[in-house]
Amino acid sequence: MNNYNSMSPSNIRELIRTGKITGPTAGMSKGYTQANLAILKKEYAYDFLLFCQRNPKSCPLIDVTDIGSFTPNSIAKDADIRTDIPKYRIYKDGEYSEEVADITDYWEDDMVAFLIGCSFTFETPLLEAGIPIRHIEENCNVPMYKTNIPCVKAGIFEGPTVVSMRPMSSADAIRAVQITSRFPEVHGTPIHIGDPSQIGISDLTKPDFGDSVTIKDGEIPVFWACGVTPQAVAMQSKPSIMITHAPGCMFISDLKDEKLSVL
């Protein structure tokens, strides 16, 4: 990953803005908070804010921009949310339309951007505890799956919870629960450990988002609520337009991970 893990968030955002980084951001700017993105027009903003409030495991809010502002002032004052994520996805009336590297042409003066906590944030303390992170080892995107766990509805917004999965030994899974409990603002503890069929996942080798990773003998899958949930919700709820990050391609903020730790 070159030296991206030790680069500052502003330097990483510059590389993204100039097209030098175009893929997943896991492991970049070690120690700084990464965030999922959902952009909606003002008419949907209150419903979505309420949706996040009612579904804090899937959609823990880190920042919300003012109407029409593309700068997340609370977490990165020099950033431009239209250009500083490697890839974006456009959903129109619930249908995935396209993936782009810049959303300047899509931005409208009545849009609101929601920055949502990302599980990449707690991967640094997991690694520091000696717990392997398979998608980082295999240099790919984290696997993500739609589940049979419904989100709590708010206004027009409803749909399934999406989870991210990391395979671990049983002992590491117990330690991971302890570590991630310190980070409730970035999904916190796992919502399921073990048998994926219990949450509606039939085949771990076929994630709905991201990439499949190796699960070694003796390992169990550990599932965290995921900030890609709004994309599944958009497909079901069908707002006229929702702009999101492409799965795994996050916004890297200037906020230190330790600021989100409760211990």
Side-chain angles (χ1 to χ4, degrees):
M1 192 186 289
N2 298 317
N3 59 340
Y4 295 157
N5 64 332
S6 61
M7 280 189 182
S8 71
S10 60
N11 285 340
I12 291 288
R13 293 195 298 266
E14 175 65 21
L15 292 174
I16 291 170
R17 196 178 304 130
T18 56
K20 294 181 175 64
I21 293 175
T22 60
T25 55
M28 295 184 184
S29 292
K30 182 179 178 181
Y32 287 89
T33 298
Q34 299 200 24
N36 302 275
L37 175 70
I39 296 173
L40 291 153
K41 292 173 72 66
K42 177 184 175 181
E43 64 185 289
Y44 302 111
Y46 175 75
D47 280 0
F48 190 73
L49 186 66
L50 188 60
F51 178 84
C52 293
Q53 188 270 330
R54 290 178 177 174
N55 297 277
K57 289 286 281 188
S58 299
C59 301
L61 283 174
I62 300 297
D63 196 10
V64 181
T65 65
D66 292 330
I67 297 168
S69 172
F70 43 79
T71 302
N73 284 305
S74 296
I75 59 174
K77 290 184 178 180
D78 69 341
D80 187 331
I81 209 66
R82 304 170 301 176
T83 59
D84 293 359
I85 288 176
K87 292 178 183 175
Y88 303 82
R89 285 191 170 182
I90 312 297
Y91 293 88
K92 295 181 179 179
D93 297 316
E95 297 292 329
Y96 169 54
S97 172
E98 62 179 320
E99 191 169 274
V100 297
D102 184 314
I103 58 166
T104 303
D105 290 342
Y106 288 93
W107 186 264
E108 299 179 36
D109 290 339
D110 64 345
M111 284 182 160
V112 179
F114 296 83
L115 284 303
I116 296 167
C118 171
S119 59
F120 287 173
T121 296
F122 60 59
E123 289 181 345
T124 295
L126 290 177
L127 289 167
E128 289 174 345
I131 299 174
I133 305 296
R134 190 62 38 76
H135 61 272
I136 293 180
E137 291 180 337
E138 298 184 350
N139 195 29
C140 64
N141 202 350
V142 64
M144 293 160 273
Y145 308 84
K146 295 179 185 177
T147 71
N148 59 9
I149 304 170
C151 294
V152 179
K153 183 178 180 180
I156 71 162
F157 293 105
E158 60 182 323
T161 299
V162 174
V163 293
S164 60
M165 187 278 292
R166 295 160 183 80
M168 298 178 181
S169 69
S170 296
D172 283 346
I174 293 170
R175 184 68 180 128
V177 171
Q178 296 171 326
I179 292 169
T180 57
S181 69
R182 295 163 38 206
F183 295 91
E185 292 187 79
V186 286
H187 306 302
T189 54
I191 62 171
H192 185 70
I193 298 175
D195 185 359
S197 67
Q198 293 182 355
I199 56 173
I201 301 170
S202 60
D203 188 348
L204 288 177
T205 68
K206 297 179 180 178
D208 295 294
F209 308 94
D211 300 313
S212 177
V213 297
T214 303
I215 301 178
K216 299 178 181 178
D217 289 344
E219 290 184 329
I220 55 175
V222 185
F223 300 92
W224 279 266
C226 179
V228 172
T229 296
Q231 300 189 33
V233 167
M235 294 178 203
Q236 183 164 326
S237 304
K238 304 184 187 308
S240 59
I241 186 169
M242 177 186 274
I243 303 172
T244 72
H245 65 292
C249 297
M250 318 305 296
F251 176 77
I252 302 179
S253 77
D254 295 335
L255 184 68
K256 294 284 283 186
D257 291 342
E258 62 195 37
K259 295 291 187 181
L260 300 180
S261 173
V262 297
L263 296 175

